[in-house]
Amino acid sequence: MTATSTARGEQSIEYSPDDMMIAAAARALRGYRVCFVGIGLPSTAANLARATHSPDLVLVYESGTIGAKPTRLPLSIGDGELAETADAVVSVPEIFNYWVQGGRIDVGFLGAAQMDRFANLNSTTIGDYEHPAVRLPGAGGAPEIAASCKEVIVLIRQSHRTFVERLDFRTTVGFGEGPDDRRRWGLRGSGPTLVITDLGLLRPDPVTRELTMTALHPGVEIDQARAATPWELRVAEQLTTTEPLSEEELRGLRDLQATQDHG
Amino acid sequence: MTATSTARGEQSIEYSPDDMMIAAAARALRGYRVCFVGIGLPSTAANLARATHSPDLVLVYESGTIGAKPTRLPLSIGDGELAETADAVVSVPEIFNYWVQGGRIDVGFLGAAQMDRFANLNSTTIGDYEHPAVRLPGAGGAPEIAASCKEVIVLIRQSHRTFVERLDFRTTVGFGEGPDDRRRWGLRGSGPTLVITDLGLLRPDPVTRELTMTALHPGVEIDQARAATPWELRVAEQLTTTEPLSEEELRGLRDLQATQDHG
Amino acid sequence: MAQIQTLAEAVGNLVNDGDCVALEGFTHLIPVAAGQEIIRQGRRDLTLVRLTPDIVFDQLIGMGCAKKLVFGWGGNPGVGSLHRFRDAVENGWPHPLEIEEHSHAGLTNRYVAGASGLPFAVLRGYFGTDLMGRTETVKQVVCPFTGEELAAVAALRPDVTVIHAQQADHQGNVLMWGITGVNKEAVLAAERVLVTVEEVVDRLDPRPGGVLLPTWVIDAVAEAPGGTYPSYTAGYYERDNSAYVHWDTISRDRETFLTWMDEHVLGGSMAVGR
Amino acid sequence: MAQIQTLAEAVGNLVNDGDCVALEGFTHLIPVAAGQEIIRQGRRDLTLVRLTPDIVFDQLIGMGCAKKLVFGWGGNPGVGSLHRFRDAVENGWPHPLEIEEHSHAGLTNRYVAGASGLPFAVLRGYFGTDLMGRTETVKQVVCPFTGEELAAVAALRPDVTVIHAQQADHQGNVLMWGITGVNKEAVLAAERVLVTVEEVVDRLDPRPGGVLLPTWVIDAVAEAPGGTYPSYTAGYYERDNSAYVHWDTISRDRETFLTWMDEHVLGGSMAVGR
């Protein structure tokens, strides 16, 4: 990861592409009330949102913790800190059936090893399923988060390794093969409304649902994004540039990262 | 209700037909571990069993109280006393789905306004359903208690009002029309294995499942039972006589009844 | 996010004529005050839902608020009949009452399906009973694995669910404890939610058996101290059993009932009356 | 009624070669000690089940106990891959591992159906994914009310479920608190149940978030203080995150793994060895 440097007034701020992804994800949470959070970048982003613009954002973790207010970045989705700071801890059946499938979650985060142009995700195997080159951890809560959260934000780096013409395994449905599939499959959320990469932002076309590059991070050129995408990348007519990391964001992020003790 | 008097040694014990039913029901609980209890006679019987021969009998009430150990007779199945003395209080969905339907209850008690020869029960309407002569409270938990408890004990007075050729409404399945119906309908408990009336005890025939009088209470003649039954009552070859109420039982019963304050 | 309102405001804002209104409370936390406020506001044509309709449902039915009752067991618990309910069903007074009845497990699972975003739930039951066929909300489903036939019940999604709880905080988070019945499911199944509470407190303390409902699943919280009387609220007051016994007498006779309602429910309010 | 036994006795009595064994614990209360005892007793041909198999499953798989794995997400949480799991799937070492994978919601609902005495459960999911069609335990069911097609998952009824809890009393009643995941459902779905606990206490005190499992749904309780290490047990000890990070190194290499297991798991026991 190369660090990006951007001039803000007198000061130059150093941050990584991951930092940019996290900040963009945190910003994207503005205006939402209830966020379903996985561990890693999503958890960092959601807690950064709480630490900056959205102190009342409700964090729900798959382990059953509703309204967790961690004071440090959790080590797992079942970190004791989450249970101790939560408004309520419920069972896993209840989380999935009443809260996720019941349509109570405004926005969920997902990552994946591979994504296709319709924001379908693979977190199962690289290579053939029966004889995989790489066996990944598997589905976890992703399929139902994608099915039932009102919206989904995907965090994924943009490269020929992660952006693929055809998934080796479709673990999680984005938009299937196009605009009708979610309805046909009984998936009641809107699906992925935003994909955040290390290069910029993509959003589904309102009609076709194919992902469209709508913004680039500071310093990224559209040709970089095209080169990182194995299919002919659709680009929005009004391509914008994301705001660079503010000092407040970076401070918030570093404060959060400082709480994470990897033993 | 006429009081029955029976000589035990020197003493004569006065008790009512209801007392006899309760004592017979309490006795019938011997050897069971987990009992599903409704309010009224069943609750009195189950608590009498706990006060006499079965101190470790686990009482489960429909309100979600598991292992309730009331020190007084509860006023309703949701009496606060039950929650306060229970090992656990769970939700109503959990009680029905995991504990009753899950097959965790050894024996359940039921009463009814009408019963037929296959121990099917009516607690819905007397007369036509659309234009009932008497609108009864309805099913409550009875259908699933009868469906899924390993065994069911029915408490019902024996008369032409309660024992009927044909139910006005079949609220709760005993054995349907015979031996195959429970299996056919996916009801996994054994069904009613004992019916306790003010005249004696009936059990289902092992083959046909028709109720058969197997015992009479002290002082009751079989002709009384036949006269109280609108169909041709089947009688066991070896008809026995139930034990009269012991002093211990009557004392336990009166102690329990004394705890019930009807305001 | 829940608004903290007066009971009159909350009922006025959330309960409309013709709504399907679940007033839940399985033998505890019974929303009596809220039901009586619905009577005072003169709501009509309601489809009322509760596993165990008791005195406050007898009052709602007797005052003509209900077009239909969806229920499992309608009685005066530990005492006997609900005479206003019976009068409506047996004699159509004050007007005919449509009824849809279920077993407790069946109606419970209708809420569970509603709360779970599913169109139906599955259970073992109904087959062999006359309950089956009396409502369109019970059908049959075949297990795709074993071929077994099981009962399916349709999801229930009330327009409004009303429950009572012990406490809320100033943000509108709600805490209930003791027997909580099917209250969580009834809340999560509903379009709109009103919770009456014994009191609004500065802080909700975790406690054994405590069930928290976050403010973002609730529309309005209204303080209603003693709001379950003559039933009980664990931690606050006991059931007044004499009132249950007394209700048997009050409710047997139409005029006695109307006089009692005038005095005890309508009297103290700015109600529209009946 | 639960027997209070040593862990070795309990595993010896309840877990047989060829059994379907669920060792649950959703990110908390992970039955590591029990899993390692299964390894020491040399069980073979197990179908192992867990939503989130982690280090102890890596050990069970690497030591050749598992014929099949039923799971939702198999990783070293917060660290990365499970290398023994990967080696089994990618290279068939120590022998090929059959896998059946689900979404968390799907596997959760398989337990729920098992606990509920139903042959299947219904959910929104699986359609459109390659998970569908990879297992006979996911099919389609049509809502008899709306005609909607939904996913059906087959009930899961393990031969044995093993969980860890904080406390038991002398009668074998069990109390757990904090994140309890799918533990209750996994217990109630199973034919036989083993619970390891941090300690046996004279009395179980009610506490916020406490979940009680009565002794009559449990077969054996075994004391295993520190029984979730290197994970955590709320109220007793914290997660040792360095051990998770270290496991990544230990488990990458077959010989390093075997040596570590010999020293740390097999060494201290009267085990049959591998």
Side-chain angles (χ1 to χ4, degrees), chain B residues 208-231:
Chain B
T208 66
R209 296 294 183 229
E210 183 175 333
L211 289 174
T212 305
M213 200 96 209
T214 58
L216 296 171
H217 295 318
V220 177
E221 299 297 325
I222 187 64
D223 285 350
Q224 273 177 270
R226 288 191 207 276
T229 308
W231 64 83

Side-chain angles (χ1 to χ4, degrees), chain C residues 34-188:
Chain C
Q36 293 180 337
E37 182 59 30
I38 290 171
I39 294 170
R40 276 194 294 275
Q41 298 201 10
R43 289 289 176 281
R44 286 296 176 269
D45 294 325
L46 302 178
T47 293
L48 295 177
V49 190
R50 188 160 152 218
L51 267 73
T52 53
D54 62 357
I55 292 178
V56 67
F57 271 61
D58 218 24
Q59 296 175 355
L60 284 154
I61 291 164
M63 296 303 285
C65 304
K67 180 184 68 185
K68 181 175 177 181
L69 178 68
V70 179
F71 76 108
W73 189 92
N76 184 340
V79 178
S81 288
L82 291 182
H83 298 291
R84 294 298 95 225
F85 161 61
R86 285 186 55 181
D87 202 14
V89 175
E90 295 169 13
N91 310 307
W93 191 93
H95 54 67
L97 179 70
E98 202 182 325
I99 60 176
E100 174 191 322
E101 59 190 301
H102 288 274
S103 68
H104 278 168
L107 189 46
T108 293
N109 279 295
R110 294 195 62 200
Y111 284 124
V112 169
S116 302
L118 292 175
F120 73 107
V122 180
L123 74 158
R124 292 185 185 277
Y126 287 100
F127 295 145
T129 76
D130 292 332
L131 295 164
M132 191 115 189
R134 289 274 168 199
T135 162
E136 284 298 300
T137 60
V138 180
K139 294 193 173 175
Q140 183 186 297
V141 67
V142 176
C143 173
F145 302 99
T146 64
E148 267 179 287
E149 295 170 354
L150 295 144
V153 290
L156 177 62
R157 297 208 171 81
D159 295 310
V160 197
T161 285
V162 181
I163 63 164
H164 187 80
Q166 279 94 343
Q167 298 177 340
D169 65 17
H170 298 290
Q171 288 71 51
N173 297 295
V174 163
L175 184 66
M176 54 186 170
W177 64 86
I179 292 166
T180 58
V182 72
N183 281 10
K184 181 182 271 188
E185 288 75 16
V187 162
L188 294 178

Side-chain angles (χ1 to χ4, degrees), chain A residues 14 30 53 59 72 101 185 209 242:
Chain A
E14 298 274 327
R30 193 188 292 271
H53 54 76
L59 306 189
R72 56 174 175 76
Q101 189 174 263
W185 291 327
R209 296 292 183 233
T242 54

Side-chain angles (χ1 to χ4, degrees), chain A residues 1-22:
Chain A
M1 289 284 136
T2 52
T4 303
S5 162
T6 180
R8 298 279 288 174
E10 324 263 303
Q11 290 212 293
S12 174
I13 303 183
E14 298 274 327
Y15 56 86
S16 71
D18 269 13
D19 294 338
M20 186 67 234
M21 285 175 73
I22 292 167

Side-chain angles (χ1 to χ4, degrees), chain A residues 92-171:
Chain A
V92 164
E94 181 176 328
I95 271 290
F96 280 115
N97 292 344
Y98 292 177
W99 299 85
V100 178
Q101 189 174 263
R104 294 284 171 183
I105 311 292
D106 296 324
V107 59
F109 274 120
L110 290 175
Q114 294 181 334
M115 185 185 68
D116 68 17
R117 71 178 72 195
F118 287 110
N120 303 299
L121 305 174
N122 173 16
S123 52
T124 302
T125 51
I126 302 296
D128 177 58
Y129 183 74
E130 299 291 346
H131 302 94
V134 182
R135 174 64 229 198
L136 301 165
E144 282 78 20
I145 293 168
S148 297
C149 289
K150 289 177 192 158
E151 301 188 32
V152 170
I153 298 174
V154 179
L155 290 177
I156 189 167
R157 294 190 189 94
Q158 193 163 355
S159 77
H160 281 251
R161 202 167 58 89
T162 53
F163 276 47
V164 296
E165 270 283 10
R166 190 176 167 73
L167 301 178
D168 292 347
F169 190 97
R170 192 193 286 165
T171 314

Side-chain angles (χ1 to χ4, degrees), chain C residues 165-240:
Chain C
Q166 279 94 343
Q167 298 177 340
D169 65 17
H170 298 290
Q171 288 71 51
N173 297 295
V174 163
L175 184 66
M176 54 186 170
W177 64 86
I179 292 166
T180 58
V182 72
N183 281 10
K184 181 182 271 188
E185 288 75 16
V187 162
L188 294 178
E191 197 62 36
R192 305 186 292 280
V193 175
L194 162 59
V195 184
T196 58
V197 295
E198 289 298 325
E199 54 176 338
V200 174
V201 298
D202 291 336
R203 203 182 61 158
L204 299 174
D205 291 319
R207 62 170 63 223
V211 173
L212 186 126
L213 296 170
T215 181
W216 45 277
V217 303
I218 298 166
D219 295 278
V221 166
E223 259 186 335
T228 71
Y229 179 86
S231 186
Y232 78 108
T233 296
Y236 285 82
Y237 46 89
E238 300 284 321
R239 160 163 156 153
D240 178 1

